[in-house]
């Protein structure tokens, strides 16, 4: 696909689509609750549609209406039915990993699998703690990858678990298993990761305690159907924040953006880089306004990393245009996303003229490098594809041809149309 290049003066207001992490979890908790759950501003993108499909295969009635999704809860884990076929999650890491926790205590066997990218992402980080809780799980060739075979009929017990990686998906899988287990489960995180599962447990009427890096909960809880209003996804807003900061003479307003503090690391980075960004926040969401800015390099590391892990590709692009050097470290998790995002960012932006050195756990980016036309690829990774379109807007000479552009539909099906609307 030929990308739009060479833009100035992009102005407009955008309401980004619903948060992907919250959309997945609202289907999951809606399915496990008693009664109906109505979800407003659900993300109608491939990953979340995979979650709907999988829960329908587990016997949950889910209706997709014009402005909402209605989930008819089965009233607990034991209400889920044995699926008639393997459960296919497409490209969605969140779906497969959280599902492993949800089905860890099921009475039936289930096989979970996904596309080529999913089959290369580590699943043993989830199967190991679940096995400690009493689940029986086989991964392909015992190598820790999908397809994952979950054996049914196990009694689970609570554990005390020290997380070896900072991952909300691993934490969430353990929390779902803990809800079916006897006794208490205590999880100690390496760094604080997004807490949407914890928030959902509370929203649906359950009890969970979060204190610093420690999360505790007990099994045998009941959930009641809810009205869920999904805020806009800050990970999708990030591409338009970058557009507003980088494209000359631009001004972009983003409405109803989710502002859960475990997700807002990008706002801290923009501030550290000297970007013109203002935020009007209500409780959970708010409006963000950005203007074209002169940026400076920064260091991104430590506890900030899980708060912006999915924004690092677009932050790397910001850094290519900033004054001085930007260092991203402690981000080795980028290697096990939809693609190896350290390599993908370094290789594709280098094709366009950027000066980036990949490291074992991040990137070193030299700023103020003009970008030029090139043939690039998303590697089938939605966030790499969207980052490259924002990069293309800065290209003054030459064309940018993007391979595997269709990957953006994983989280933002209208992405290219929204860019066109800002120009039109
Ligand atoms: O769902 P998936 O494919 O893992 O999606 C990604 C993304 O870029 O959209 C990661 F590739 O987001 C993850 C995120 O990186 C979504 C997520 C969640 O909803 O719990 C948590 C993060 O992953 P992890 O492995 O750090 O827990």
């Amino acid at each position: 696909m030929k990308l739009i290049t060479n833009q100035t003066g992009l102005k407009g207001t955008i309401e980004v689509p619903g948060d992907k992490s919250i959309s997945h979890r609202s289907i999951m908790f809606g399915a496990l609750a008693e009664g109906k759950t109505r979800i407003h501003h659900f993300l109608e993108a491939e990953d979340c549609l995979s979650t709907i499909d999988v829960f329908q295969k587990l016997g949950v009635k889910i209706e997709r209406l014009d402005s909402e999704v209605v989930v008819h809860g089965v009233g607990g884990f034991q209400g889920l039915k044995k699926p008639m076929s393997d459960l296919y999650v497409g490209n969605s890491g969140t779906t497969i990993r959280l599902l492993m926790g949800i089905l860890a205590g099921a009475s039936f066997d289930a096989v979970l699998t996904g596309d080529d990218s999913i089959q290369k992402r580590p699943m043993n980080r989830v199967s190991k703690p679940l096995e400690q809780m009493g689940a029986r799980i086989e991964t392909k060739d015992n190598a820790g990858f999908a397809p994952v075979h979950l054996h049914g009929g196990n009694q689970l017990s609570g554990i005390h678990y020290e997380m070896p990686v900072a991952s909300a998906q691993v934490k969430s899988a353990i929390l779902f298993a803990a809800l079916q287990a006897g006794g208490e489960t205590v999880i100690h995180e390496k760094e604080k990761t997004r807490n949407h599962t914890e928030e959902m447990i509370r929203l649906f009427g359950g009890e969970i305690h979060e204190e610093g890096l420690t999360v505790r909960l007990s099994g045998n809880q009941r959930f009641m159907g809810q009205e869920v209003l999904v805020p806009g996804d800050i990970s999708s807003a990030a591409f338009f924040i970058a557009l507003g900061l980088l494209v000359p003479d631009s001004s972009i307003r983003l409405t109803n953006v989710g502002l859960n503090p475990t997700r807002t690391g990008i706002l801290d980075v923009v501030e550290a880089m000297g970007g013109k960004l203002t935020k009007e926040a209500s409780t959970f969401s708010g409006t963000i306004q950005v203007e074209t800015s002169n940026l400076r390099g920064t260091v991104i590391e430590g506890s900030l990393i899980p708060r912006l892990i999915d924004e690092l590709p677009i932050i790397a692009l910001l850094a290519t245009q900033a004054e001085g050097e930007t260092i991203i470290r402690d981000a080795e998790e980028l290697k096990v996303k939809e693609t190896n995002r350290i390599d993908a960012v370094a290789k594709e932006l280098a094709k366009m003229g950027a000066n980036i050195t990949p490291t074992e756990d991040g990137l070193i980016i030299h700023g103020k490098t003009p970008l030029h036309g090139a043939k690039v690829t998303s590697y089938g990774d939605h966030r790499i594809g969207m980052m490259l379109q924002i990069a293309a807007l800065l290209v003054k000479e030459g064309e940018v041809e993007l391979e595997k552009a269709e990957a953006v539909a994983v989280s933002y099906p209208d992405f290219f149309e929204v860019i066109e609307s800002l120009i039109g």
Side-chain angles (χ1 to χ4, degrees):
M1 174 180 172
K2 203 171 129 194
L3 298 181
I4 300 166
T5 54
N6 195 13
Q7 293 298 311
T8 55
L10 299 184
K11 298 193 167 73
T13 298
I14 300 163
E15 186 181 3
V16 292
D19 187 280
K20 179 159 80 69
S21 296
I22 298 174
S23 294
H24 283 302
R25 286 158 173 85
S26 57
I27 297 289
M28 294 170 180
F29 281 95
L32 295 170
E34 292 170 27
K36 269 189 214 171
T37 288
R38 290 183 184 279
I39 310 169
H40 306 276
H41 202 45
F42 177 81
L43 174 63
E44 294 266 347
E46 284 174 6
D47 266 13
C48 299
L49 297 180
S50 292
T51 293
I52 289 190
D53 182 59
V54 157
F55 276 86
Q56 286 173 331
K57 291 201 168 87
L58 289 165
V60 182
K61 185 175 165 202
I62 302 174
E63 296 168 280
R64 283 170 64 195
L65 308 175
D66 269 356
S67 64
E68 61 183 32
V69 173
V70 181
V71 185
H72 299 258
V74 296
F77 292 88
Q78 297 311 321
L80 298 173
K81 301 266 185 311
K82 181 178 167 54
M84 304 299 282
S85 59
D86 291 358
L87 298 172
Y88 183 78
V89 304
N91 189 245
S92 179
T94 308
T95 310
I96 193 165
R97 295 204 176 112
L98 273 54
L99 204 55
M100 285 171 73
I102 290 169
L103 296 180
S107 56
F108 49 80
D109 281 25
V111 176
L112 319 184
T113 193
D115 68 6
D116 286 351
S117 157
I118 279 293
Q119 293 186 36
K120 291 188 193 112
R121 296 177 67 183
M123 297 300 146
N124 48 356
R125 52 178 53 199
V126 179
S127 58
K128 279 189 182 145
L130 296 182
E131 282 167 345
Q132 284 179 31
M133 298 175 83
R136 281 180 305 134
I137 301 174
E138 275 170 60
T139 56
K140 190 181 174 209
D141 302 329
N142 285 324
F145 297 101
V148 175
H149 188 143
L150 299 168
H151 292 275
N154 306 299
Q155 184 54 52
L156 305 181
S157 328
I159 48 168
H160 284 229
Y161 194 67
E162 193 81 32
M163 299 255 307
V165 283
S167 163
Q169 293 177 355
V170 176
K171 174 179 65 174
S172 300
I174 301 170
L175 290 176
F176 276 118
L179 287 166
Q180 307 162 66
E184 191 187 46
T185 291
V186 182
I187 304 171
H188 190 70
E189 293 201 80
K190 203 174 163 200
E191 299 283 5
K192 182 79 182 166
T193 62
R194 65 191 71 189
N195 65 349
H196 302 304
T197 305
E198 295 89 315
E199 297 279 11
M200 282 271 163
I201 289 175
R202 281 188 279 267
L203 176 70
F204 279 77
E207 206 181 315
I208 182 160
H209 304 281
E210 277 178 82
E211 210 186 307
L213 295 174
T214 304
V215 186
R216 292 171 190 272
L217 90 168
S218 298
N220 280 323
Q221 303 204 26
R222 279 177 69 190
F223 297 121
M224 305 308 292
Q226 296 296 324
E227 201 81 24
V228 181
L229 178 55
V230 181
D233 198 325
I234 191 164
S235 299
S236 300
F239 298 100
F240 293 98
I241 292 176
L243 178 152
L245 293 170
L246 295 179
V247 174
D249 191 29
S250 295
S251 168
I252 300 288
R253 191 174 168 82
L254 295 148
T255 57
N256 180 33
V257 180
L259 294 172
N260 176 316
T262 61
R263 296 283 300 283
T264 51
I266 184 166
L267 305 183
D268 299 356
V269 167
V270 169
E271 195 188 341
M273 294 180 92
K276 290 183 201 155
L277 182 150
T278 51
K279 180 179 86 174
E280 289 159 37
S282 57
T283 325
F284 300 112
S285 62
T287 298
I288 291 173
Q289 173 90 33
V290 280
E291 317 283 335
T292 311
S293 305
N294 291 320
L295 302 175
R296 55 178 175 267
T298 187
V299 177
I300 303 165
E301 61 187 348
S303 59
L304 187 52
I305 296 293
R307 295 180 55 232
L308 47 62
I309 187 74
D310 296 337
E311 287 65 81
L312 285 170
I314 193 69
I315 289 173
L317 175 67
L318 287 179
T320 66
Q321 304 306 305
E323 188 74 56
E325 194 178 72
T326 293
I327 298 173
I328 300 172
R329 56 169 84 100
D330 303 325
E332 51 277 89
E333 277 296 299
L334 288 178
K335 293 182 185 166
V336 292
K337 298 297 179 186
E338 284 81 330
T339 189
N340 178 333
R341 287 180 176 163
I342 293 182
D343 286 355
V345 166
K347 271 193 196 148
E348 299 315 297
L349 285 177
K351 287 180 190 168
M352 297 177 74
N355 182 352
I356 304 189
T357 311
T359 64
E360 258 315 293
D361 65 348
L363 295 159
I364 301 170
I365 303 144
H366 305 277
K368 289 281 174 208
T369 47
L371 300 179
H372 55 68
K375 269 196 173 164
V376 289
T377 176
S378 75
Y379 300 86
D381 183 328
H382 52 135
R383 303 211 188 274
I384 301 295
M386 289 188 274
M387 179 276 285
L388 290 167
Q389 168 60 91
I390 304 301
L393 298 174
L394 311 178
V395 166
K396 301 248 172 336
E397 271 171 35
E399 292 190 342
V400 183
E401 184 77 32
L402 175 66
E403 224 178 77
K404 301 194 179 180
E406 67 286 353
V408 306
V410 157
S411 64
Y412 204 152
D414 298 339
F415 177 74
F416 293 115
E417 284 81 353
V418 177
I419 300 271
E420 272 168 30
S421 74
L422 289 173
I423 292 159

